[in-house]
Amino acid sequence: MTAQTHHYDIVIVGGGLAGLSAAAYLANKGKKVAVLERGALGGRAVTLPIKGFHFNFGAHAIYGRDTSVLRTFEKELGIHINWRDFTPSKAKYDIGDEVTDVPANIQGLFRTKVLTGLDKVSFTFNILKTMLKLESGHPHLSIQKWLEKKEVNDEVREMMLTLASSNFFTKEPEKIPSDVFFRYYSRLFLTNKPVAYIGGGWQSLIQEFVRVIEANNGTIYTKTKIDRVSFEDNRITAVHAGEETTFTGDQFIMCIPPKELDKIMAGSRLEGLAKHYAQYDPTYVMVYDIGLKKRIESPYTYIYDKQNNMFITDISYYDTSCTPEGGQLLQATAYLRQEDMGKKEVLEAYKEKIEHMYDKHFPGWREELVVPRVSQRAVVQEIKWTMNQQAMPVFFPDYRNLFFAGDWCQGQGQLSELSFSSAMSVCEMIMQHQELELVSKHSIG
Ligand SMILES: Cc1cc2nc3c(=O)[nH]c(=O)nc-3n(C[C@H](O)[C@H](O)[C@H](O)COP(=O)(O)OP(=O)(O)OC[C@H]3O[C@@H](n4cnc5c(N)ncnc54)[C@H](O)[C@@H]3O)c2cc1C
């Protein structure tokens, strides 16, 4: 085979949500872009069709969609997203002997039994302060330490940690840095659309990004694994897929997780930094989806087991396209600890707990079961929020034409919102850089 070299304005490595959204945005701005993906498009945002059910690897829930960066992409690119808003009154906590409202809005706050009397007032006061940005936490204080310092009483403390546990997908909410916690809630408490699903699942969003990329003459290469980077002084000059294929570019955006970066940045000025971020722990969950042939009616579409830190969502209630006619798709997610990983018997125990939760809230599911789907080690976020870990910057001064995006990078929100927001800030940096170059060319001319 003869060696080939392709040149683009911008070369994007990784075809997950970060890579595809950045590519669509820049292609739409007139840049000649290429996306290089080692497997199929979508990364961790995949929709798997099995026996007529469409399982999403992950719940494809977008938090605070009205103020989300995905919404900005939607408007800028004219992509179509079939938003399916969540009904807060159908969100419940399982508190053992009974089920009670999640205080996700004022009605829920009044009705919930997890807070009583004056604690409701105190909780509301804390929410208000967060909304008004009067409380911003501190990067050196975990939320646990912050709660102790402020002498927050037990019930309100537990409520804040339960909320954080469910939003940050963690069993250890007390370890979240308090500044991250307050930044997140100052946006979420102000939203009118706390949670929304994407009708058609992740696949439909990916198709929309691909449509925009292709309509603007972008090129997508799948089954193209980048294994090496070439550099000269403070610039990246090329990325390579094996010995035969080379991609040169003016700018490069790496939308691959730190553990993958570590492999391809060997010998570069960023070798040490890539290693540093690659050693961090991700947020792991177990996902146990079930496709049922007939709906099991329930008064709630989201139920969170406070004691076991696991929840079930009736995905098909919001997205009817994900099941065959009359069917139901339920998704259970259990938050895992780092030390649970690789322990077969511990993971088996989680699976059993999830099945008990299905028995309790969706009795009869076993008789209706068509297809179960279990992921025992799903990475919800590449870098977990804890006091001894931090998100990766989107740019390092060592290489002036190299940028980074993904849910391991600094940005707004959680999960895919981090992928979208880091992708957006990289796109803005690249476009601003181009404007500055044009201005300086004109002023010299
Ligand atoms: C179980 C689960 C539930 C979730 N639930 C939600 C949710 O409800 N809401 C939400 O917003 N988010 C959710 N997420 C998170 C969301 O899926 C991720 O944040 C998002 O998909 C990450 O996208 P990304 O592009 O940043 O990274 P990735 O998806 O990891 O993309 C990286 C891409 O790079 C490719 N790649 C890696 N190495 C190379 C190489 N050397 N050469 C070429 N390509 C390479 C990979 O194949 C991959 O396609 C969930 C995730 C999981 C697993």
Side-chain angles (χ1 to χ4, degrees):
M1 207 171 139
T2 51
Q4 293 180 329
T5 299
H6 308 271
H7 183 83
Y8 294 90
D9 295 339
I10 298 160
V11 174
I12 296 166
V13 183
L17 294 176
L20 291 172
S21 56
Y25 186 92
L26 293 166
N28 192 48
K29 294 272 182 212
K31 295 283 184 186
K32 190 179 170 212
V33 304
V35 178
L36 317 176
E37 165 56 48
R38 70 174 171 192
L41 294 179
R44 275 170 290 140
V46 284
T47 310
L48 294 173
I50 311 174
K51 294 190 181 174
F53 291 88
H54 286 86
F55 292 97
N56 277 286
F57 188 48
H60 59 294
I62 302 297
Y63 298 88
R65 76 158 167 100
D66 47 355
T67 58
S68 71
V69 177
L70 178 55
R71 177 90 183 104
T72 312
F73 276 118
E74 182 189 19
K75 282 190 272 183
E76 286 261 346
L77 302 177
I79 58 177
H80 172 70
I81 301 177
N82 181 12
W83 293 108
R84 315 292 305 170
D85 284 316
F86 185 80
T87 316
S89 61
K90 286 188 174 285
K92 306 285 171 185
Y93 281 143
D94 175 342
I95 49 172
D97 295 340
E98 59 183 326
V99 159
T100 187
D101 285 69
V102 172
N105 55 15
I106 289 295
Q107 290 94 319
L109 186 64
F110 277 116
R111 282 200 297 254
T112 191
K113 290 184 184 158
V114 284
L115 287 170
T116 49
L118 280 177
D119 289 332
K120 289 191 185 187
V121 178
S122 165
F123 183 65
T124 314
F125 181 61
N126 275 303
I127 288 184
L128 207 65
K129 278 201 298 189
T130 310
M131 283 164 72
L132 296 174
K133 296 196 168 57
L134 296 176
E135 191 50 78
S136 54
H138 194 280
H140 293 159
L141 278 184
S142 66
I143 193 62
Q144 159 118 347
K145 289 268 178 284
W146 181 90
L147 290 163
E148 281 167 13
K149 200 166 162 235
K150 298 278 169 166
E151 296 178 358
V152 173
N153 77 40
D154 286 353
E155 251 188 66
V156 174
R157 176 182 181 281
E158 206 198 317
M159 188 63 250
M160 289 173 79
L161 291 178
T162 304
L163 261 190
S165 185
S166 62
N167 282 125
F168 285 75
F169 283 62
T170 176
K171 259 191 137 115
E172 299 154 313
E174 63 285 348
K175 293 187 181 168
I176 299 169
S178 54
D179 60 326
V180 172
F181 178 97
F182 285 106
R183 219 174 24 250
Y184 182 73
Y185 286 108
S186 64
R187 183 171 81 88
L188 205 69
F189 288 150
L190 281 176
T191 177
N192 292 319
K193 312 277 181 200
V195 187
Y197 296 98
I198 298 171
W202 289 124
Q203 196 53 45
S204 63
L205 184 60
I206 287 154
Q207 277 164 4
E208 281 296 274
F209 286 133
V210 170
R211 182 178 63 72
V212 175
I213 295 168
E214 291 180 345
N216 291 284
N217 304 315
T219 313
I220 296 172
Y221 296 82
T222 52
K223 300 204 173 74
T224 302
K225 182 173 176 178
I226 297 308
D227 51 23
R228 199 159 45 89
V229 170
S230 295
F231 32 85
E232 237 174 68
D233 302 326
N234 64 356
R235 294 185 76 77
I236 299 290
T237 51
V239 294
H240 308 271
E243 290 307 316
E244 287 82 27
T245 319
T246 296
F247 299 89
T248 56
D250 300 336
Q251 322 268 1
F252 293 82
I253 312 179
M254 297 292 178
C255 301
I256 62 176
K259 288 184 182 58
E260 297 300 321
L261 263 181
D262 183 29
K263 293 179 199 158
I264 68 169
M265 296 307 287
S268 77
R269 291 180 189 172
L270 291 184
E271 184 175 338
L273 276 167
K275 265 199 195 342
H276 173 78
Y277 289 98
Q279 60 167 351
Y280 283 162
D281 294 333
T283 309
Y284 287 114
V285 298
M286 177 185 285
V287 186
Y288 187 162
D289 292 355
I290 50 174
L292 308 181
K293 57 178 175 289
K294 215 169 94 226
R295 279 195 68 77
I296 296 172
E297 287 310 333
S298 151
Y300 29 84
T301 58
Y302 169 95
I303 175 95
Y304 182 84
D305 177 337
K306 255 176 110 259
Q307 202 199 338
N308 291 306
N309 300 117
M310 46 181 69
F311 68 89
I312 298 174
T313 312
D314 183 352
I315 301 282
S316 49
Y317 180 87
Y318 296 101
D319 182 6
T320 46
S321 70
C322 70
T323 66
E325 178 96 43
Q328 188 171 33
L329 197 157
L330 298 172
Q331 177 165 75
T333 304
Y335 307 151
L336 304 178
R337 289 204 178 87
Q338 191 61 28
E339 58 266 32
D340 299 332
M341 302 317 300
K343 291 189 187 136
K344 230 174 139 201
E345 60 294 353
V346 175
L347 296 175
E348 215 35 57
Y350 275 106
K351 225 179 124 198
E352 274 176 29
K353 274 193 183 151
I354 291 178
E355 289 176 349
H356 285 144
M357 199 176 166
Y358 275 135
D359 287 336
K360 185 170 175 187
H361 298 289
F362 294 88
W365 69 276
R366 290 170 198 263
E367 288 75 57
E368 303 300 340
L369 186 64
V370 181
V371 44
R373 198 187 149 265
V374 183
S375 315
Q376 292 202 324
R377 197 191 150 86
V379 173
V380 181
Q381 193 168 293
E382 278 287 347
I383 296 183
K384 184 176 182 151
W385 289 120
T386 65
M387 288 303 286
N388 49 5
Q389 304 198 147
Q390 59 181 349
M392 191 174 134
V394 297
F395 174 79
F396 295 96
D398 308 65
Y399 293 109
R400 296 289 166 163
N401 63 340
L402 178 64
F403 303 87
F404 303 90
D407 68 1
W408 49 90
C409 285
Q410 291 173 1
Q412 165 178 301
Q414 294 290 342
L415 318 173
S416 73
E417 181 67 357
L418 276 175
S419 310
F420 294 126
S421 57
S422 54
M424 181 61 90
S425 47
V426 163
C427 290
E428 285 169 353
M429 283 169 95
I430 289 177
M431 294 314 295
Q432 274 166 12
H433 178 249
Q434 187 193 13
E435 276 168 31
L436 287 176
E437 273 195 337
L438 280 176
V439 171
S440 73
K441 256 188 209 154
H442 283 303
S443 51
I444 292 165

